[in-house]
Amino acid sequence: MITIKGYVVSKTLVNDPTGGRMIAIQIVEERETPGPVITGADESSQMMRDVMPLVQQLLRSMPMVGPLMSGKVPIPRLLIWLNEDEAEALGPKLDVGDAVEIRIDNGKLELVKI
């Protein structure tokens, strides 16, 4: 079984070509971004290894730059298009920001609000 934890980042209502309404729900997973890799054995490389965590912490504390330096990156995992009836049958209403779990087992996909 494959389990993916994520959250809803967008829920969009769109008119389809037949005049009906479709709802697009996009789910992403947050992953940690790797830190900078500093190679070398000389004194300046060691100083950079010591200073980089301080620079990253300073940038994260700045209001305009902080969200961009959060250390996490959203990875798109699922985009599902449903008509209004299918969205009603989905079960619990999903809204932007809701945490979800995507479970895949033997060709069956299950979407669970957590």
Side-chain angles (χ1 to χ4, degrees), residues 6 8 10 12 25-26 31 33-35 41-42 48-49 54 56 59 62 64 66 68 83-84 87 103 112 114:
V8 178
S10 80
T12 309
I25 301 171
Q26 183 179 9
R31 290 194 189 164
T33 54
D42 61 348
M48 284 300 293
R49 278 193 286 277
L54 298 172
Q56 289 177 329
L59 288 173
M62 299 173 74
M64 297 301 285
L68 300 173
N83 64 32
E84 289 179 314
R103 299 177 188 153
V112 180
I114 52 176

Side-chain angles (χ1 to χ4, degrees), residues 70-101:
S70 67
K72 294 184 179 181
V73 61
I75 306 293
R77 297 302 289 199
L78 180 68
L79 174 60
I80 186 167
W81 291 86
L82 304 170
N83 64 32
E84 289 179 314
D85 294 332
E86 293 165 341
E88 288 292 324
L90 183 62
K93 295 279 186 195
L94 293 177
D95 287 317
V96 174
D98 286 349
V100 296
E101 192 172 81

Side-chain angles (χ1 to χ4, degrees), residues 5-70:
K5 291 186 180 183
Y7 63 94
V8 178
V9 291
S10 80
K11 185 175 179 182
T12 309
L13 182 64
V14 178
N15 291 325
D16 71 12
T18 64
R21 291 180 175 220
M22 299 291 289
I23 298 167
I25 301 171
Q26 183 179 9
I27 298 170
V28 300
E29 174 186 25
E30 274 191 346
R31 290 194 189 164
E32 297 288 329
T33 54
V37 177
I38 302 168
T39 60
D42 61 348
E43 193 175 312
S44 63
S45 296
Q46 181 59 42
M47 185 169 40
M48 284 300 293
R49 278 193 286 277
D50 293 340
V51 171
M52 280 307 291
L54 298 172
V55 171
Q56 289 177 329
Q57 183 178 359
L58 177 67
L59 288 173
R60 282 189 205 120
S61 70
M62 299 173 74
M64 297 301 285
V65 182
L68 300 173
M69 297 290 296
S70 67

